Structure formats: structure tokens, C-alpha cells
Amino acid sequence: MAFAITQTCCTDASCVAACPVNCIHPTPDEPDFGTTDMLYVDPRTCIDCGACADACPVDAVHPVDALTGALADYAAINAEHFADRPTSRAEGTGPVFHAWDPPRFDRAVPADFPALDVAVVGTGPAGMYAVQDLLLHTDARVTLIDRLPVPGGLVRFGVAPDHPATKRIGETFARHHAHHRLRLRLGVQVGRDVTVDELAVAHDAVIYAVGASEARELGVPGADLPGSLAATTVVGWYNGHPEIAADAVDVSGSRVVVVGTGNVALDVARILTADPADLEDTPIDRGALERLRGGAVREVVVLGRRGPEAAAYTRPELHALLHRHGVELVVDDADPRTGREIDGAGEHAALLRGVRRETVDWSAPPGDGPKRLVLRFHSTPVAVSGPDRVRGVRVTGPDGEVEIPAGLLVRAVGHRGTPLPGLPFDAATGTVPNAGGRVDGIPGSYVVGWIKRGSSGGIGANRACAAETVGALLDDAVAGRLPSRPRRRGPLGFRRGRRAHGSPA
Ligand SMILES: Cc1cc2nc3c(=O)[nH]c(=O)nc-3n(C[C@H](O)[C@H](O)[C@H](O)COP(=O)(O)OP(=O)(O)OC[C@H]3O[C@@H](n4cnc5c(N)ncnc54)[C@H](O)[C@@H]3O)c2cc1C
Ligand SMILES: NC(=O)c1ccc[n+]([C@@H]2O[C@H](COP(=O)([O-])OP(=O)(O)OC[C@H]3O[C@@H](n4cnc5c(N)ncnc54)[C@H](OP(=O)(O)O)[C@@H]3O)[C@@H](O)[C@H]2O)c1
């Protein structure tokens, strides 16, 4: 028996640090770290100690013989990763203890260095990995701020409710909220309740972890008709985001079109086609669940402008769609290229090989059979049909221009950051210009997460990102590059917001 990593892998490499025999790859110092969809356990090296399972913050690691249902394939998926790689342990010898050194916590801060006051803006994964690094490895006092009344960022309001193991990482982060050197201020929006300058004056350094909250535009006529929603709205709706109304999403039509093939598109398609009874025991917003119960969605069409080879979803998320009860996965085969790509080589498209292909007749409404999730590739939306509200989407494809009738259009084409008054902003990338986390031209200000790198990468990608930013901050502190600040007269006040329960003054 060995252990295997499964669907919810967040790639934050907590397991790598815990493994005593270096059997989990890629490790953070291997070239493909950050490029694979997940990490893998080498079954030839695994000694079944379970240290990785204990360390995993998202419950993704399990003994192979405990894997059932859709997860059973992960024994082979882990093993396949190592098929043409040498074992990391020579046959017949004992385990090689850590080829990859455990993380080094000897931050270059002299023992007598005065404790820093650091503000971290944003309680999503990037902010929380930065907070964790500061609290566990330095003496810093941290003021943690979020504009929302509930912490967690996209772990709370983005991650789909049917991914409870992933949401569990929020509990790991939340343990730090009660740390004696942290004060948590919720409902405080930087730019409204406190300015960038005020934060800078009151702290030695400020780390901005404000994410990328704005939806990218689709940029076709009709994209702003009623019934055309950004995925951020739909995701916020089913996750109970305090700023999204309970009736924001109309699920009374039988067909929904989702534009984009990223994991967010698959999340939305999965939730809208799920049997509401299967969502009952999840943290889904109760109002959204009631509406889904009374809804009429029979079919969700996911549109990719390129082929299956170039789809943006990760393999585990597509894999999860292959094994659903009561929801059929179909590939629209109108484009001969789609078939060739699926039949040809390419790990990404290969998963679709066994999936039913059909040349869908879009003039007919979805049938009464099982619900369907249809993947249609090589299809670029050119217009949203109205006139008063969304009635369909016109797409160009190999079969010319096709009208796909639909009552709801979801634009899942990615995200971008928004400018924060007082910080520089690159409108082209939707990020704050920075060098390794140091904000350009503003000493003492740092960025981390999606506002630093752009809106890509799962939760775990923010861990290494935070280590880089915190490392830059500490280097600057030790080198005397942080701006000196005037002596403070007392703790910084905020115009709104509240101190979180249990947080020190
Ligand atoms: C819909 C969706 C689902 C996802 N699901 C998964 C998944 O299942 N698994 C996975 O590994 N990854 C998932 N991801 C990716 C993951 O969520 C991101 O990698 C991660 O959240 C980025 O972290 P962040 O801290 O940069 O941003 P965020 O998580 O967005 O956090 C930003 C925080 O800053 C706060 N903020 C913003 N502006 C201000 C301001 N002016 N003042 C004060 N506070 C402010 C926000 O309220 C928010 O709490 C998902 C992403 C999306 C969009
Ligand atoms: N379970 C998970 O682990 C999970 C869940 C959700 C999100 N995430 C992560 O969060 C990040 C963001 O995900 P995301 O889905 O929002 O974004 P994404 O991965 O960047 O995908 C965006 C999709 O939109 C398409 N697109 C962009 N502009 C378009 C246009 N004008 N017309 C048509 N299609 C267009 C892209 O196609 P092109 O490729 O052709 O540009 C791509 O398919 C990703 O790293 C994702 O993996 C992870």
C-alpha cells in the first residue's frame, strides 16, 4: 500500500516538507513545481507513514486502498507521473532522507532586531500565508484588515461548496486570527475607511493581498444584457457573498452557456447541474439552494475558444466530471478538429477520449433525459442575443456562425485586480507593479497573491509567493531600507469596521 494525492491538491507543498523519504514531487526546488496540476506520491518510495496526510491542509492525501469512486483512479494517476522517472530511492537501500531540504525558518533577522509592526490587507490565501510566515518566523505584530465582515477571501466566497476539503484550509488560516500578536479588523476597506498613506505612517511595512476581484470583460455586443452575468456573481451567489443579492441568478431557463474553460467555468457548470439534494450537506448558501431546487436548468454548455488541448481547467477538475451520477458529460463534435485533438496525443485532451461525442442540434431545447454538461471547443462568442434580455449566444466555429439559445450566460473568462488609491497600477495586467513583491516606487509597501502575479494559480501557489514577499520585507528591514515613521500617538483608528471578537485592542 502507498498513499496517493487526490483531486483537491492545493500544491502548497506542506506534504513535501513533512515527507521523510522525499517521495512527493515536484518539490519546490524542481523545475516543474508550479506547472503541474497537482503533486504526486511516488508509490515506489512511499513508506506509508501518513505524515503527508497529516500535513495536508485540504485533506487530499489518502491511503490508496481507501480510495473509492472517482478517487480510485488517483492511485494510477500518481503512479503514472513517475512512469518514466527514476525512483528517488535506489532499489534495496534504505530511504533517502530529504533530497529537498525542509523549509528554512532562519529568517535573516538578528535576534536583537526590534519587532516590526506590519499591516496585511486581505484575509484570502495570499494574505494568510504572509501572516503565517510573519507570526511563526518573526516577532512581528500584525494588523490584519479585510473589507468584508467575514474573513477568508476566495476560500470563503470563491471555492465551490461541493469542495469541502478545500474549504477546510480556511480553518488552518483562521487559527492565526486569534494569535496574541495579531489584531483583526473586519469591515475596513482600504481606500475608504483608511488610506494607503495612513497605513504606511502607522506601520513599518504594509503588505497588500487584495486579490483580483473584478471580472474580465467578454467584450462582445449584448454582454451587458440582463441574464448575462460574470462568474464572480454566480460564485458569490452560491457562496452567500454579502454583496450579492439572493435573486441575482435566474435559473429558470433550461440551458445555460458558460464562456471559458477554466476551473471557475467548471465550478459553475458543476453547481448548476448538480442534484440540489447532493448540495444539501454543503455550506452552499441556503437561498441559492432553494432557487436551484425550484430551477429548470437541464443543460450547461461550456464554450472554449480554443481546442481541448488548450483548455484552462486542470486535470483533477475535469476528471471529477467523468464520474457524476445523473449528469452526462458530452463533447460537441461539430468541429472535426475537436475529435482529432481528443484522439491524438496530449495528456489534457486524453481524459476526454471515453466521453460521449455528439453533434448537438442547437435548434432543439435540452431533452428530458439526464442533465447534461456539454463541452464545445473552437467556439468564440461574437454576440449575445437579446433584445431585452439574454436569449442566446452567437458563436463562430468550424460550422460557421451558430446560435445557441440560452436563458443565462455566465462569463468565466478570468479576473483582474482593481486600482487602490495611493498605489501604482498597471491597467494592462490588472496588477500592482512590483519587483519580487516590493511595490514599485513605494518603499515599505509590498504585494502578494493575485494582485502581485495576476489571477492565476490555486491556493497553494500563494504560499511560495508569500515567502518571497515576506523575505523581501525582512531583507529591507535588516538593511535599513524601510522608511522611518513618525512616533505614533496611539493605535491607528479606522473610520468604519469592527474589531473581530477576541482580537486584542
Ligand atoms: C471562483 C474561484 C474558485 C476557486 N477555487 C479554488 C479551489 O477550489 N482550489 C484552489 O486551489 N484554488 C481555487 N481558486 C484560486 C484561489 O482562490 C486563489 O489562488 C486565491 O484566492 C488568491 O488569493 P488572494 O489572497 O490573492 O486573493 P483573495 O482570495 O481574493 O483575497 C483578497 C482579499 O482582500 C480583500 N480586499 C480586497 N480589497 C480590499 C480593500 N481595499 N481593503 C481591505 N480588504 C480588501 C478581499 O475582501 C479578500 O478577502 C479559486 C478561485 C476562484 C476565483
Ligand atoms: N479547483 C481548483 O483548483 C480551482 C478552482 C477555481 C479556480 N482555480 C484557479 O483560479 C485561477 C483562475 O481561474 P479562472 O477559471 O477564473 O481563469 P482561467 O484559468 O484564466 O481561465 C479563463 C478562461 O477564459 C477564456 N477566455 C478568456 N478571455 C476570453 C474571451 N474573450 N472569449 C472567450 N474565452 C475567453 C480562456 O481561454 P484562453 O485560454 O483561450 O485564453 C480560459 O479558458 C486558475 O489558476 C484556476 O486554476 C482553481
Side-chain angles (χ1 to χ4, degrees):
M1 192 194 69
F3 278 70
I5 302 180
T6 64
Q7 185 192 342
T8 52
C9 176
C10 74
T11 72
D12 90 346
S14 300
C15 54
V16 175
C19 174
V21 294
N22 193 33
C23 75
I24 300 175
H25 298 268
T27 64
D29 61 353
E30 289 173 347
D32 46 351
F33 184 77
T35 65
T36 58
D37 287 344
M38 53 182 282
L39 305 182
Y40 306 89
V41 174
D42 186 346
R44 301 165 303 179
T45 317
C46 176
I47 56 169
D48 307 334
C49 68
C52 50
D54 291 344
C56 177
V58 292
D59 201 18
V61 195
H62 302 278
V64 159
D65 60 4
L67 298 176
T68 55
L71 295 188
D73 292 350
Y74 279 90
I77 290 171
N78 278 247
E80 267 166 30
H81 180 78
F82 299 96
D84 51 1
R85 289 165 215 251
T87 175
S88 39
R89 158 155 70 113
E91 287 302 331
T93 65
V96 176
F97 285 96
H98 259 296
W100 177 66
D101 288 333
R104 290 157 55 110
F105 298 141
D106 52 347
R107 292 293 195 192
V109 184
D112 57 350
F113 197 78
L116 295 169
D117 279 315
V118 181
V120 177
V121 184
T123 60
M128 289 316 301
Y129 279 121
V131 163
Q132 178 171 298
D133 204 348
L134 286 166
L135 291 178
L136 299 188
H137 309 137
T138 78
D139 292 335
R141 291 179 292 263
V142 177
T143 305
L144 176 61
I145 296 169
D146 205 289
R147 58 179 286 272
L148 292 178
V150 182
L154 285 170
V155 171
R156 173 68 186 78
F157 296 115
V159 171
D162 60 347
H163 282 357
T166 306
K167 285 205 175 277
R168 210 163 292 149
I169 199 169
E171 295 164 24
T172 306
F173 292 144
R175 281 184 314 189
H176 301 303
H177 295 163
H179 194 283
H180 64 280
R181 279 187 280 116
L182 182 136
R183 57 180 199 140
L184 179 60
R185 291 290 183 273
L186 297 173
V188 172
Q189 182 168 328
V190 177
R192 181 192 67 185
D193 306 317
V194 62
T195 66
V196 161
D197 284 348
E198 285 168 333
L199 277 183
V201 167
H203 299 87
D204 295 301
V206 184
I207 300 178
Y208 292 92
V210 291
S213 57
E214 197 169 273
R216 264 193 224 137
E217 297 289 335
L218 185 56
V220 301
D224 50 4
L225 280 171
S228 165
L229 299 179
T232 45
T233 303
V234 182
V235 165
W237 171 74
Y238 61 60
N239 275 314
H241 192 293
E243 291 164 353
I244 310 275
D247 61 354
V249 182
D250 178 356
V251 286
S252 62
S254 61
R255 181 181 289 128
V256 177
V257 170
V258 180
V259 183
T261 59
N263 281 339
V264 172
L266 295 197
D267 279 352
V268 168
R270 215 179 48 251
I271 295 295
L272 293 184
T273 50
D275 180 344
D278 291 342
L279 298 172
E280 182 63 49
D281 293 332
T282 72
I284 191 169
D285 177 76
R286 294 290 115 182
L289 182 59
E290 275 317 302
R291 282 171 191 270
L292 285 170
R293 275 210 190 90
V297 176
R298 309 285 323 151
E299 183 175 279
V300 175
V301 183
V302 173
L303 287 184
R305 59 180 169 180
R306 299 190 281 158
E309 296 276 305
Y313 47 67
T314 55
R315 214 176 152 201
E317 293 307 308
L318 181 65
H319 181 269
L321 300 182
L322 303 174
H323 299 271
R324 298 175 82 203
H325 296 293
V327 186
E328 200 180 12
L329 183 65
V330 175
V331 176
D332 180 11
D333 212 12
D335 183 352
R337 279 176 294 177
T338 302
R340 279 199 303 276
E341 283 154 347
I342 291 173
D343 293 335
E347 196 185 77
H348 222 72
L351 266 182
L352 292 173
R353 260 182 221 147
V355 173
R356 194 159 78 75
R357 296 193 219 161
E358 178 186 319
T359 304
V360 181
D361 174 8
W362 297 112
S363 63
D368 292 334
K371 288 184 186 174
R372 286 154 53 105
L373 199 164
V374 181
L375 297 170
R376 183 183 159 98
F377 296 99
H378 299 296
S379 297
T380 304
V382 288
V384 182
S385 314
D388 51 337
R389 55 161 294 113
V390 171
R391 307 277 169 188
V393 186
R394 288 199 77 72
V395 300
T396 54
D399 39 354
E401 210 166 280
V402 176
E403 169 88 10
I404 303 181
L408 175 65
L409 172 74
V410 183
R411 308 179 313 261
V413 294
H415 305 79
R416 45 181 285 115
T418 53
L420 199 54
L423 290 187
F425 187 69
D426 179 345
T429 58
T431 58
V432 169
N434 70 94
R438 294 179 176 94
V439 174
D440 286 359
I442 310 195
S445 291
Y446 301 84
V447 280
V448 68
W450 278 12
I451 193 63
K452 170 185 171 187
R453 312 186 316 267
S455 64
S456 84
I459 292 166
N462 300 293
R463 187 177 182 208
C465 179
E468 180 187 56
T469 294
V470 172
L473 187 161
L474 296 178
D475 285 351
D476 290 348
V478 173
R481 289 193 292 263
L482 293 181
S484 55
R485 61 190 163 102
R487 184 176 291 276
R488 280 185 292 148
R489 279 184 218 97
L492 175 65
F494 300 111
R495 283 179 278 284
R496 283 181 20 184
R498 64 181 174 82
R499 193 158 60 87
H501 181 70
S503 184

